[in-house]
C-alpha cells in the first residue's frame, strides 16, 4: 500500500465520527433524490404500460341521450381514429352491515361488440362463460367481453373496481344492492377488475375507496333499466396519429350539442389522469428541490471539514512536498479522502432510497391501481445519483484543497500568522462587562468573522431544513381543519343527478334529526375571457352561506352576495381577469347558452379552479326557475344514521355522504401518507442538523487543541476550558436559531410556490411546534456534541498538544 493511502486510512480512523455524520448527510440527500424520482419513474412506467394494454382513450364526452346512429357521424370527424359509445350511470349502493353511504358508477359493457378502448382487466373471478374469454384472470391481459347477462334470479353479474373490493373485502360471489333508476337490484360480484380510466377512483378529486366503486355490468340490461335501448350517454375517442386534439374536441362538441352534450375534453381534464399527473408533477418538484438543498448542505460541510483538516495538516503537506510529492498527488490524496466519505454516503443513500421507494409504492396503492405496480430503479437514475455525489464532493472541497497544496514547502511548514489580538467592539464601547471566558469567546468570534459566519450559516440551514421537513404535517392539519370545520359546517350532504325544484329542501327539512338545510346548484361551464378558456364548475351557494362556505387560505369567509362571480385567484390569473371584468360563461348542460357575468371578487383557495355565485342570481341568469342540485344538512347529534337511512327512500336523491365518513377517509389515506412522508423528511433534516452542529464542534476542538492545552497549563480548570469552546458553540447556535427559522419560512414559501398547481395549493402555515421542534433538534445536537467535546477535552494530552507547534 502506498504511503499516502496509509495516511488516508489513518485520517479516516481519526475523524471517523465526522466522516460518518457527513456520509449520513450525503445519504439523506441521495435517498430523497432516489426515493422521489424512482417513484416518478415507477408511476410513469406503470401508467404507460396500462394505458397501452388497456387502450386508454384520448378524448371523452358525455351526453344526455344520443342515438346509436350518431356514432357514424362522430367517426367522420377529422382526426378521429375510433369511437366507442357506452351507457354509464351513478347509483346508490347498499351493502349489508355498512351504514355509510356508497356511490356506484355503473358502466354498461355491450353484448353485441367487444370493448375496443378503456379495456377492463380481470384480477380475480370469472368472465362471461357463454361467450368465452379474451383474457384469463390475473394474466395481465385486458378483457373485452362483458360480465354476462342477468342471472336466473334477476341479479346482475358485475366486475367491481379493485380498490372498492379491497376496502369492503369483496370476493367473487358476494352480493350488493343497487338503486337503479328507482328500482332495487342485486349485483353479484363476478370479478375484481381494473381499467385505465379509473386508476384513481374517488369523488370530487378525493380518494374514497369505501364510498365510491366502479361496476361493469351487462350493457343490454343497463340500457333496459334506464330506457336507453339504441342510445348512449358516454363517448370515448381514440385520435389518429398526428391529429389535433383541440380540433377534434371542437368537432365532437358541435355534433353532441343538440343531444345535451357537454364540452368534450382531453386526457388532461380526465379525473384519473389529472390526479396521477398532478402527483407526478409534485414528486418531480420534491425530488429536485429537497435533495438539492440536502446536497448543498453536504457540500458546505465537506468544504468546512476539508478546509480545516487541510489547514491543520500544513506541516504534513510541507513534509510531503519536501519528500518529492507534487501538487497533483497531494490533491488526489485529499480527493480520495473525500471520495471515501461520500462513497459511503452514496451507497447508504441508494440502499435507503430503494427501501423508501418500495415503501412509497405501498402508500400509492391506496390512491392508484395498476395491474403491475413495481418499484423501478433505473440505471439512468443511478448514474445521475453518482454524478450528483461526485459533484457534491468536488464542489465542496476543490477550492479548499487547491488553496493549500499551492503553498511552497517552506511557507507551509511555518504556522499560520497569529491573529490580531485586541478588545472586541463591545468592549471598546464599554458595553461588555462580562467575565474572562465570555470576553475570550467574543474576541475569538470577532477575530475570525468568516469562519464564524459560515458556522452560523450552516447551523441556520439545518434549522431551516427541519422547519421545511415538518411543514407538510402542519399544512395537512390546516387543510383538514379548513375544509371540514370552517368550510363544511354541515353534517350530511345530499345531491341529485339533475337539477330539481328547491322545494326538495322543505322535504329534507322534515326528515328525522334535521335542524337546518342549505341549497346549492352546481353547473358545468366553460369560462372564457378573450382567447383564454377554462373548463370549470359554477357553484351556486346561498347568498350568505352558513353550512357550506367559501374559505380562503387565511381562514376568512367570502359570501357570494352579489349578482357576479367569486373566483379563485389561480383561475383569475389563468383567464387574465381582475375584479370588475366580465367573463363569458358557456353553460354545458340544458339548452345551449352563453352568459356574460362580471367578476365581483377573487379568493385564495387551496383546491381547484373554482367559480362561485349566489344560487338565486345563478338561477335567474339561467332562467330555469328556483332549482338546486345539492343540499347540505345540519343534524341533531346522534341522528346521522337515521337520516341517511331516510334518504335511501328518496328517489330523486342520487346520493348522500357523511362529512364524518369523508373526514375519516381523509385521515386514513391522504393525511396519513403525508404525515409519513413528513416524518421521513424531518428525520433526514434532523440528521443534517446533527451533522452540521457536531462537525462544527469537533473541528473547533481540532483547531484549538494547542490553545486549550496552553490554558490548562496556565491554570484554567477543565470546566473553564470547556466553557470557552462550548460557549462559542452555544453562542453560534443562539444566533443561528432565529436566522434559521426565518430562512425556513422563506424556503417553505419557495417550496409552496414550486408545488402550486391548478388542482392544489398548500397553505404556508408553520405552527409554533414546528419552530420548537427545529430549535430542539439543533439544541439537542449541540448538547450531544458538547458532551462528546467535553469528554475529549477532559482526555486532552497537554504535552502532545503543546508539541504540535514546535
Amino acid at each position: 500500500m502506498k504511503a499516502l493511502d496509509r495516511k488516508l486510512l489513518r485520517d479516516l480512523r481519526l475523524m471517523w465520527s465526522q466522516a460518518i455524520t457527513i456520509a449520513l448527510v450525503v445519504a439523506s440527500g441521495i435517498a430523497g433524490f432516489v426515493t422521489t424520482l424512482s417513484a416518478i419513474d415507477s408511476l410513469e412506467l406503470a401508467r404507460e404500460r396500462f394505458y397501452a394494454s388497456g387502450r386508454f382513450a384520448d378524448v371523452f364526452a358525455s351526453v344526455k341521450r344520443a342515438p346509436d346512429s350518431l356514432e357514424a357521424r362522430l367517426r367522420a370527424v377529422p382526426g378521429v381514429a375510433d369511437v366507442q359509445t357506452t351507457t354509464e350511470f351513478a347509483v346508490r349502493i347498499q351493502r349489508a352491515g355498512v351504514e355509510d353511504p356508497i356511490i356506484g358508477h355503473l358502466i354498461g359493457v355491450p353484448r353485441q361488440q367487444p370493448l375496443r378502448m378503456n379495456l377492463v382487466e380481470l384480477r380475480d373471478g370469472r368472465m362471461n362463460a357463454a361467450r368465452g374469454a379474451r383474457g384469463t384472470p390475473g394474466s395481465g391481459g385486458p378483457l373485452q367481453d362483458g360480465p354476462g347477462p342477468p342471472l336466473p334470479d334477476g341479479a346482475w353479474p358485475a366486475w367491481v373496481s379493485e380498490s372498492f373490493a379491497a376496502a369492503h373485502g369483496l370476493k367473487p360471489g358476494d352480493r350488493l344492492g343497487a338503486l337503479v333508476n328507482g328500482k332495487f337490484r342485486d349485483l353479484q360480484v363476478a370479478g375484481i377488475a381494473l381499467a385505465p380510466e379509473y386508476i384513481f377512483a374517488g369523488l370530487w378529486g378525493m380518494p374514497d375507496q369505501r364510498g365510491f366503486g366502479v361496476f361493469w355490468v351487462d350493457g343490454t340490461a343497463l340500457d333496459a333499466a334506464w330506457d336507453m335501448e339504441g342510445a348512449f350517454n358516454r363517448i370515448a375517442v381514440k385520435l389518429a396519429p398526428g391529429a389535433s386534439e383541440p380540433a377534434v374536441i371542437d368537432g365532437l362538441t358541435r355534433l353532441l350539442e343538440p343531444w345535451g352534450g357537454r364540452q368534450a375534453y382531453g386526457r388532461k381534464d380526465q379525473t384519473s389522469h389529472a390526479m396521477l399527473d398532478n402527483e407526478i408533477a409534485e414528486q418531480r418538484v420534491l425530488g429536485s428541490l429537497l435533495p438539492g438543498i440536502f446536497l448543498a448542505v453536504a457540500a458546505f460541510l465537506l468544504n468546512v471539514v476539508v478546509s480545516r483538516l487541510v489547514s491543520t495538516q500544513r506541516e504534513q503537506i510541507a513534509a510531503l512536498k519536501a519528500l518529492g510529492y507534487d501538487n497533483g498527488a497531494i490533491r488526489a490524496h485529499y480527493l480520495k479522502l473525500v471520495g471515501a466519505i461520500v462513497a459511503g454516503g452514496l451507497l447508504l443513500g441508494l440502499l435507503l432510497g430503494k427501501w423508501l421507494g418500495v415503501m412509497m409504492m405501498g402508500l400509492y396503492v391506496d390512491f392508484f391501481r395498476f395491474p403491475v405496480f413495481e418499484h423501478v430503479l433505473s440505471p439512468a437514475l443511478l448514474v445521475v445519483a453518482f454524478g450528483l455525489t461526485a459533484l457534491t464532493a468536488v464542489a465542496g472541497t476543490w477550492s479548499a484543497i487547491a488553496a493549500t497544496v499551492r503553498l511552497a514547502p517552506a511557507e507551509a511548514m511555518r504556522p499560520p500568522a497569529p491573529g490580531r489580538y485586541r478588545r472586541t467592539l463591545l468592549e471598546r464601547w464599554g458595553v461588555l462587562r462580562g467575565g474572562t471566558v465570555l470576553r475570550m469567546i467574543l474576541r475569538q468570534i470577532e477575530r475570525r468573522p468568516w469562519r464564524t459566519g459560515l458556522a452560523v450559516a450552516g447551523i441556520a440551514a439545518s434549522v431551516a431544513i427541519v422547519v421545511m421537513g415538518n411543514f407538510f404535517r402542519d399544512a395537512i392539519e390546516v387543510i383538514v381543519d379548513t375544509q371540514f370545520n370552517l368550510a363544511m359546517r354541515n353534517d350530511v350532504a345530499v345531491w341529485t343527478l339533475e337539477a330539481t325544484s328547491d322545494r326538495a329542501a322543505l322535504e329534507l327539512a322534515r326528515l328525522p334529526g334535521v335542524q337546518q338545510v342549505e341549497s346549492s346548484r352546481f353547473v358545468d361551464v366553460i369560462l372564457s375571457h378573450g382567447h383564454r378558456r377554462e373548463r370549470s364548475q359554477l357553484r351556486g351557494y346561498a347568498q350568505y352561506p352558513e353550512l357550506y362556505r367559501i374559505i380562503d387560505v387565511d381562514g376568512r369567509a367570502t359570501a357570494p352576495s352579489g349578482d357576479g362571480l367569486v373566483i379563485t385567484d389561480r383561475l383569475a390569473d389563468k383567464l387574465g381577469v381582475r375584479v370588475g371584468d366580465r367573463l363569458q360563461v358557456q353553460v354545458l348542460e340544458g339548452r345551449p347558452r352563453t352568459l356574460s357575468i362580471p367578476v365581483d371578487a377573487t379568493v385564495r383557495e387551496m383546491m381547484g379552479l373554482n367559480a362561485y355565485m349566489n344560487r338565486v342570481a345563478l338561477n335567474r341568469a339561467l332562467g330555469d326557475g328556483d332549482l338546486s342540485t345539492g343540499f347540505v344538512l345540519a343534524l341533531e347529534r346522534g341522528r346521522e344514521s337515521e337520516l341517511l337511512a331516510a334518504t335511501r327512500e328518496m328517489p330523486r336523491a342520487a346520493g348522500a355522504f357523511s362529512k364524518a365518513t369523508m373526514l375519516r377517509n381523509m385521515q386514513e389515506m391522504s393525511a396519513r401518507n403525508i404525515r409519513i412522508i413528513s416524518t421521513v423528511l424531518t428525520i433526514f433534516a434532523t440528521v443534517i442538523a446533527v451533522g452540521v452542529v457536531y462537525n462544527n464542534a469537533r473541528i473547533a476542538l481540532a483547531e484549538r487543541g494547542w490553545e486549550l492545552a496552553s490554558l490548562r497549563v496556565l491554570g484554567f480548570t477543565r470546566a473553564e476550558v470547556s466553557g470557552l469552546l462550548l460557549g462559542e458553540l452555544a453562542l453560534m447556535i443562539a444566533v443561528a436559531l432565529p436566522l434559521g427559522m426565518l430562512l425556513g419560512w422563506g424556503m417553505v414559501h419557495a417550496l409552496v410556490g414550486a408545488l402550486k398547481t391548478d388542482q392544489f395549493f398548500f397553505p404556508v402555515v408553520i405552527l409554533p411546534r414546528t419552530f420548537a421542534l427545529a430549535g430542539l433538534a439543533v439544541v439537542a445536537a449541540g448538547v450531544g456534541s458538547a458532551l462528546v467535546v467535553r469528554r475529549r477535552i477532559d482526555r486532552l494530552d497537554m504535552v502532545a498538544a503543546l508539541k504540535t507547534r514546535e
Side-chain angles (χ1 to χ4, degrees):
M1 183 180 292
K2 295 180 180 180
L4 286 181
D5 292 335
R6 288 196 295 271
K7 176 181 178 299
L8 184 149
L9 293 177
R10 285 198 301 269
D11 288 342
L12 284 176
R13 186 173 66 251
L14 292 173
M15 57 180 295
W16 66 270
S17 57
Q18 293 168 264
I20 288 176
T21 54
I22 295 172
L24 288 175
V25 174
V26 174
S28 298
I30 294 299
F33 175 78
V34 170
T35 299
T36 50
L37 294 191
S38 66
I40 292 173
D41 291 343
S42 301
L43 283 172
E44 289 183 331
L45 180 61
R47 180 181 65 178
E48 297 310 315
R49 285 176 175 173
F50 197 21
Y51 281 5
S53 66
R55 288 185 52 80
F56 187 41
D58 299 308
V59 177
F60 309 84
S62 298
V63 295
K64 186 78 172 176
R65 176 190 172 97
D68 288 342
S69 58
L70 182 63
E71 184 176 337
R73 296 176 60 191
L74 296 174
R75 291 179 183 277
V77 173
V80 171
D82 194 8
V83 175
Q84 178 173 282
T85 60
T86 54
T87 50
E88 303 182 12
F89 296 95
V91 299
R92 301 279 295 273
I93 299 293
Q94 296 183 22
R95 174 161 168 75
V98 178
E99 293 185 354
D100 292 338
I102 301 173
I103 301 301
H105 187 76
L106 299 188
I107 301 176
V109 182
R111 292 186 197 174
Q112 292 78 12
Q113 56 182 349
L115 293 175
R116 300 180 306 280
M117 281 175 277
N118 303 330
L119 306 183
V120 183
E121 179 163 321
L122 198 62
R123 307 284 283 174
D124 185 21
R126 65 173 179 82
M127 292 153 286
N128 181 4
R131 298 188 58 210
R134 306 263 179 141
T136 57
S139 67
L143 295 168
Q144 301 171 0
D145 295 319
L151 300 175
D153 62 358
W156 289 4
W159 295 330
V160 183
S161 55
E162 186 179 60
S163 57
F164 180 81
H168 288 273
L170 296 175
K171 59 184 182 300
D174 290 346
R175 290 201 174 193
L176 306 94
L179 187 63
V180 181
N181 199 17
K183 184 177 180 180
F184 187 83
R185 296 184 182 275
D186 279 338
L187 300 179
Q188 179 169 302
V189 179
I192 312 301
L194 293 174
E197 197 174 5
Y198 293 99
I199 292 174
F200 172 90
L203 292 172
W204 304 293
M206 297 180 62
D208 190 354
Q209 304 203 29
R210 290 192 181 94
F212 178 78
V214 183
F215 301 81
W216 290 267
V217 299
D218 179 64
T220 301
L222 185 62
D223 291 347
W226 287 88
D227 193 24
M228 290 285 288
E229 292 94 339
F232 62 87
N233 65 358
R234 176 76 171 170
I235 304 100
V237 173
K238 200 72 177 173
L239 297 178
S244 169
E245 182 183 280
V248 171
I249 288 175
D250 290 341
L252 294 173
T253 301
R254 285 194 298 271
L255 285 176
L256 297 174
E257 192 173 282
W259 308 98
R262 300 178 179 180
Q263 173 80 17
Y265 56 92
R267 280 188 185 178
K268 71 180 183 66
D269 293 318
Q270 200 267 340
T271 302
S272 173
H273 179 84
M275 295 303 296
L276 181 54
D277 210 45
N278 186 61
E279 179 64 27
I280 290 174
E282 288 181 0
Q283 286 299 322
R284 185 168 281 114
V285 171
L286 291 176
S288 304
L289 185 61
L290 294 183
I293 295 173
F294 289 1
L295 292 176
V297 173
F300 165 78
L301 263 182
L302 284 169
N303 182 272
V304 172
V305 171
V306 174
S307 62
R308 294 185 180 181
L309 175 67
V310 171
S311 67
T312 60
Q313 295 187 359
R314 288 166 58 98
E315 293 86 352
Q316 297 181 33
I317 293 172
L320 291 173
K321 286 189 172 185
L323 292 172
Y325 289 94
D326 59 18
N327 288 345
I330 297 174
R331 186 181 295 115
H333 163 68
Y334 284 103
L335 285 177
K336 276 194 209 178
L337 176 70
V338 174
I341 295 174
V342 298
L346 172 63
L347 180 59
L348 179 60
L350 291 177
L351 294 175
L352 191 58
K354 174 66 177 179
W355 178 72
L356 290 175
V358 172
M359 184 189 73
M360 184 169 286
M361 292 299 99
L363 298 180
Y364 278 144
V365 169
D366 289 337
F367 291 87
F368 308 113
R369 292 283 175 166
F370 298 95
V372 179
F373 195 24
E374 299 175 343
H375 182 251
V376 177
L377 191 57
S378 67
L381 188 59
L382 295 177
V383 171
V384 173
F386 177 82
L388 286 175
T389 307
L391 180 63
T392 301
V394 173
T397 59
W398 183 261
S399 60
I401 295 172
T404 302
V405 299
R406 283 197 298 264
L407 293 175
E411 182 182 355
M413 295 186 74
R414 288 197 300 266
R420 295 181 59 191
Y421 296 95
R422 60 180 182 180
R423 293 186 303 164
T424 63
L425 188 62
L426 293 178
E427 290 178 284
R428 293 196 297 274
W429 286 352
V431 176
L432 183 64
R433 292 280 187 261
T436 302
V437 172
L438 178 59
R439 291 200 303 273
M440 293 175 71
I441 291 172
L442 293 177
R443 289 175 182 177
Q444 177 71 15
I445 290 175
E446 185 178 297
R447 192 160 49 243
R448 298 182 176 179
W450 280 108
R451 193 192 72 175
T452 302
L454 289 175
V456 169
I459 298 172
S462 66
V463 175
I465 292 173
V466 177
V467 170
M468 188 170 63
N470 210 50
F471 149 74
F472 293 99
R473 189 190 306 269
D474 297 342
I476 197 63
E477 289 190 8
V478 171
I479 291 169
V480 169
D481 180 66
T482 300
Q483 295 299 317
F484 290 95
N485 294 326
L486 298 180
M488 299 169 60
R489 301 169 74 181
N490 60 295
D491 298 301
V492 170
V494 179
W495 75 94
T496 61
L497 288 177
E498 298 179 355
T500 187
S501 171
D502 194 55
R503 288 193 297 271
L506 301 177
E507 184 180 350
L508 289 168
R510 291 192 292 268
L511 293 180
V514 176
Q515 293 181 321
Q516 187 178 354
V517 180
E518 198 169 270
S519 305
S520 60
R521 184 179 182 185
F522 290 7
V523 180
D524 289 324
V525 297
I526 293 179
L527 303 174
S528 58
H529 182 252
H531 66 281
R532 303 186 184 185
R533 292 159 55 91
E534 195 66 37
R535 187 186 180 98
S536 184
Q537 191 176 60
L538 184 51
R539 306 181 178 196
Y541 281 8
Q543 185 174 8
Y544 297 101
E546 297 180 9
L547 299 183
Y548 207 173
R549 304 191 300 167
I550 306 169
I551 303 294
D552 65 13
V553 294
D554 298 317
R556 295 188 298 261
T558 300
S561 55
D563 291 340
L565 299 171
V566 175
I567 63 176
T568 58
D569 58 338
R570 282 171 288 171
L571 181 57
D573 290 341
K574 294 198 74 171
L575 293 174
V577 297
R578 294 176 295 179
V579 174
D581 293 341
R582 301 187 75 86
L583 282 177
Q584 301 304 307
V585 181
Q586 180 185 351
V587 181
L588 300 180
E589 57 186 62
R591 67 180 188 277
R593 57 209 138 154
T594 299
L595 312 174
S596 178
I597 305 177
V599 176
D600 282 351
T602 60
V603 59
R604 293 182 68 233
E605 272 196 317
M606 301 177 196
M607 298 185 182
L609 301 174
N610 302 320
Y612 303 93
M613 192 174 181
N614 178 357
R615 185 185 66 87
V616 175
L618 174 60
N619 281 327
R620 185 167 54 246
L622 294 172
D624 290 340
D626 192 13
L627 301 180
S628 299
T629 56
F631 307 89
V632 289
L633 287 63
L635 308 178
E636 297 175 11
R637 185 180 298 272
R639 305 291 296 274
E640 184 175 299
S641 298
E642 190 178 354
L643 182 278
L644 291 173
T647 61
R648 297 189 187 106
E649 307 301 324
M650 302 179 67
R652 285 183 294 174
F657 69 84
S658 161
K659 183 179 78 170
T661 300
M662 289 188 66
L663 178 58
R664 185 182 67 232
N665 292 339
M666 179 74 175
Q667 293 285 3
E668 289 181 355
M669 296 178 62
S670 302
R672 180 202 65 189
N673 290 356
I674 288 178
R675 289 190 182 103
I676 291 174
I677 294 172
S678 177
T679 299
V680 172
L681 289 175
T682 303
I683 292 173
F684 283 169
T686 305
V687 167
I688 291 175
V690 172
V692 170
V693 175
Y694 177 74
N695 275 281
N696 271 299
R698 284 298 312 275
I699 292 168
L701 176 62
E703 285 181 332
R704 302 181 64 186
W706 187 85
E707 297 177 20
L708 299 178
S710 299
L711 292 174
R712 289 283 291 117
V713 171
L714 291 175
F716 280 70
T717 66
R718 288 190 179 94
E720 290 172 327
V721 171
S722 300
L724 182 65
L725 188 62
L726 301 181
E728 182 179 341
L729 175 64
L731 188 58
M732 288 190 293
I733 290 177
V735 173
L737 284 177
L739 294 177
M741 293 175 185
L742 182 62
L743 178 61
W745 181 84
M747 290 169 64
V748 166
H749 272 271
L751 179 63
V752 166
L755 289 174
K756 186 176 180 180
T757 66
D758 292 346
Q759 300 294 331
F760 195 74
F761 173 63
F762 273 105
V764 181
V765 178
I766 306 175
L767 299 180
R769 71 175 185 199
T770 294
F771 287 122
L773 176 64
L776 286 174
V778 173
V779 170
V783 171
S785 303
L787 293 175
V788 173
V789 170
R790 171 59 191 266
R791 187 162 172 255
R792 290 182 174 273
I793 290 176
D794 291 344
R795 296 181 175 182
L796 189 65
D797 187 340
M798 290 182 286
V799 175
L802 291 172
K803 282 184 177 179
T804 59
R805 292 288 181 98
E806 294 179 359

